Amino acid sequence: MTHGVGITDAKTALDALEDMTLNVQPITLEEYQARVDKAQTLMRAKGIDAMYLNAGTNLEYFTGLKWYPSERLVGAIVPVEGAVTLIAPAFEIGSLTQAMKLPMETLLWDEHESPYDYFIEFLKENELTKGKLALDESSSYSIVSNLEERYPAAQMCDAKVITAECRMHKSNAELALIQTAMDMTMAVHRATGAMLQEGVTASEVRAFIDEAHHKVGASGSFFCIVLFGQGTSYPHGVSHEQKLEKNDWVLIDTGCKLHGYHSDITRTYPFGEANAEQKTFWQYERQLQQAAFDAAHNGNTCESVDDAVRETLAKLGLKADYQLPGVPHRTGHGIGMDLHEWPYLVGGDRTVLAPGMCFSNEPMVIKPDTFGVRLEDHFYMTDDGPVWFTEPSRAMDDPFNLL
C-alpha cells in the first residue's frame, strides 16, 4: 500500500493538524497604495484617463475592499491622477466603510437614481474624458451597455491591460501568503491520505478535507475534487457518488484561501496496488511536470512551457496536441487572488515569463475511460528562474514525500 495512505482514522488525522496562520501578515495599506500608484503609471503610458474596478477580485486587489457583485453598481473609479473614488448605493455606505482598507472618496447614489449618470458626470467634472475609460474585464454586460448609452464606445477599453499587468507580478508579501496557503493544503493532503479507508465515500472524504482546512486555519476548502478508479479519467469530476475500494486509483485536488490568496494542489496515487499501466502513466506525468518546470526560464514565453510538454508527450508515444491518450488541457494557469488568472501555460499565450509570476504545473495525462494522473504543484518565477511552492511527489508510493 502507498506509504502514508490509510494508516489512521479520521479523528486522529484531524487531531494531528494545527493552525498554521498565527504569524501570517495580510497585505498592508502601503501595498494597496503602491498597487494604485503602479496602475496609474501604466494608465498614463497607455492614454487611459480613468479605470473602473467592479465589485470582485480587482476591487479587492487594488483597494482591499471585499464586496460581492450584484445588480447594484458597486465599484471604484481610479483616475489617472489622485485619489480613488468609490461609487456605491448610499444605503450601503456604513457597511462599505467598515470593509474599506484603502481610504477612498465616495460617489453615492440612491435607489431611484441611475449610478451611470453619476459615473459619467464624475468623469466630466474631473476632466477625465479626453483619454480612454478602461472597464474591469469582469464587468457585466449590463454595466457596459449602460455606460455605452452615455459615453462613446470608441473611448472605452478592457482594463485587463492594467489589472493583469499589475496582478501577474506578485510581491514578496503575496508570495508569502500563497506559500503558507500551499503549506496548509499540503498538510491537509497528507492527513487525507492517512485517513483513507476501504468503503469511505468521496463525499465523506470531501467533508474531511473541508474540516481539515478549518483545522489548519482556513475558512474551509475553497474547492475539492475527490475521484476514485475510473472517475479519475474525468479532469473535473463525476456527478455520482463513489466508494473507495481496494486497489482503487485515487485523485484528490483541493485548495483554500488565505487573506484572499489561493492554494491548489493535486495528488494521484493507488489505494493499495497499482497495475503496470498506472505505474507507467504516473511516471509519464512526473516527466511531463518536470519538463514544464525545466522550460520555465525568464524571457521564454508561457506558450513555450506548454510546448515542452507537447514535445515530451510525442517522445513518450502519446498524442501531443490536446488529444487522448495524452494531456487534453493546458499545462498550467496563473494563480493568486483568483484560482485561475493570467497568464496561462498554453499554446497561444505569448506572455514573457518574468519574476513574480506564479503558475500551476499540472499537465494531466489521461487514458480515456480508464484512469487519469494529475500531479499539480505550483512554482513562481524569481530572478534566477522557477522555484517550487511545494515539492513534487518523489514517487508513486510516496506521494507526500514522507520517506
Side-chain angles (χ1 to χ4, degrees):
M1 183 172 287
T2 298
H3 185 80
V5 175
I7 60 174
T8 189
D9 62 274
K11 183 179 184 305
T12 302
L14 282 174
D15 288 344
L17 295 172
E18 297 180 347
D19 191 335
M20 300 171 67
T21 67
L22 299 179
N23 297 313
V24 172
Q25 297 300 314
I27 300 300
T28 64
L29 175 59
E30 289 74 20
E31 183 155 338
Y32 287 121
Q33 186 59 59
R35 292 172 178 181
V36 172
D37 293 344
K38 180 178 179 179
Q40 290 175 322
T41 298
L42 290 169
M43 290 164 65
R44 284 191 289 273
K46 296 179 182 296
I48 294 172
D49 275 358
M51 175 173 65
Y52 172 69
L53 304 172
N54 197 43
T57 310
N58 282 325
L59 179 65
E60 184 180 359
Y61 174 83
F62 285 101
T63 73
L65 175 58
K66 187 174 183 179
W67 199 259
Y68 52 90
S70 73
E71 77 282 4
R72 292 186 174 96
L73 188 72
V74 174
I77 303 170
V78 182
V80 68
E81 302 281 353
V84 179
T85 293
L86 175 71
I87 181 168
F91 78 92
E92 294 278 29
I93 191 59
S95 299
L96 286 160
T97 300
Q98 291 179 53
M100 199 180 294
K101 293 184 180 178
L102 180 77
M104 290 184 275
E105 304 293 329
T106 55
L107 181 63
L108 304 178
W109 53 276
D110 288 316
E111 286 281 77
H112 66 291
E113 298 174 315
S114 169
Y116 304 100
D117 291 339
Y118 278 80
F119 192 122
I120 300 305
E121 188 60 31
F122 173 87
L123 296 180
K124 292 177 179 178
E125 289 179 356
N126 289 276
E127 300 182 350
L128 298 172
T129 58
K130 295 179 182 178
K132 291 183 178 180
L133 168 62
L135 299 181
D136 189 332
E137 63 272 23
S138 71
S139 300
S140 67
Y141 177 72
S142 175
I143 292 173
V144 176
S145 63
N146 270 286
L147 287 173
E148 283 180 337
E149 290 176 3
R150 298 163 171 83
Y151 197 79
Q155 281 185 248
M156 291 191 283
C157 66
D158 191 339
K160 188 174 76 170
V161 295
I162 307 299
T163 57
E165 180 60 29
C166 289
R167 287 177 54 189
M168 72 172 65
H169 301 283
K170 270 64 177 181
S171 68
N172 289 336
E174 292 179 285
L175 292 174
L177 288 171
I178 297 171
Q179 182 65 71
T180 301
M182 294 289 184
D183 292 343
M184 292 160 65
T185 292
M186 183 54 73
V188 169
H189 262 290
R190 288 172 176 150
T192 305
M195 62 75 66
L196 292 180
Q197 301 290 341
E198 191 171 348
V200 70
T201 64
S203 59
E204 289 171 333
V205 177
R206 288 193 298 269
F208 173 89
I209 290 171
D210 186 66
E211 190 172 355
H213 268 126
H214 276 99
K215 282 294 299 288
V216 295
S219 59
S221 301
F222 183 79
F223 73 98
C224 187
I225 298 171
V226 177
L227 300 170
F228 304 144
Q230 191 254 0
T232 63
S233 65
Y234 300 91
H236 290 140
V238 296
S239 59
H240 58 272
E241 181 64 286
Q242 306 159 90
K243 184 175 290 187
L244 185 62
E245 299 178 2
K246 186 178 179 180
N247 297 329
D248 254 344
W249 201 233
V250 175
L251 186 155
I252 296 176
D253 181 357
T254 189
C256 66
K257 289 185 77 173
L258 177 63
H259 293 300
Y261 288 83
H262 284 274
S263 63
D264 180 10
I265 301 172
T266 307
R267 289 291 180 266
T268 305
Y269 47 85
F271 178 72
E273 297 298 325
N275 62 41
E277 197 169 40
Q278 288 169 336
K279 292 176 182 178
T280 297
F281 269 68
W282 195 97
Q283 291 298 332
Y284 286 166
E285 173 72 356
R286 188 63 196 88
Q287 287 178 252
L288 294 166
Q289 195 184 38
Q290 192 63 45
F293 184 82
D294 292 343
H297 299 291
N298 290 318
N300 286 357
T301 63
C302 290
E303 180 180 53
S304 70
V305 179
D306 190 73
D307 288 343
V309 168
R310 306 298 149 186
E311 291 166 8
T312 304
L313 280 166
K315 292 176 183 177
L316 294 172
L318 298 171
K319 293 187 177 180
D321 296 327
Y322 304 94
Q323 303 299 311
L324 296 177
V327 177
H329 57 62
R330 64 196 176 206
T331 293
H333 55 79
I335 191 170
M337 293 187 73
D338 284 321
L339 184 63
H340 293 181
E341 61 181 47
W342 344 260
Y344 296 92
L345 302 179
V346 67
D349 192 328
R350 296 178 178 85
T351 305
V352 174
L353 297 176
M357 292 183 177
C358 303
F359 298 97
S360 74
N361 185 345
E362 50 175 324
M364 182 179 184
V365 62
I366 297 172
K367 182 176 182 184
D369 302 318
T370 307
F371 65 88
V373 187
R374 180 160 71 243
L375 300 176
E376 179 185 12
D377 296 277
H378 290 64
F379 63 85
Y380 60 95
M381 300 302 297
T382 72
D383 290 338
D384 299 320
V387 173
W388 292 109
F389 280 109
T390 52
E391 183 184 1
S393 298
R394 299 191 195 114
M396 184 193 69
D397 290 328
D398 186 22
F400 314 116
N401 299 338
L402 295 174
L403 292 178

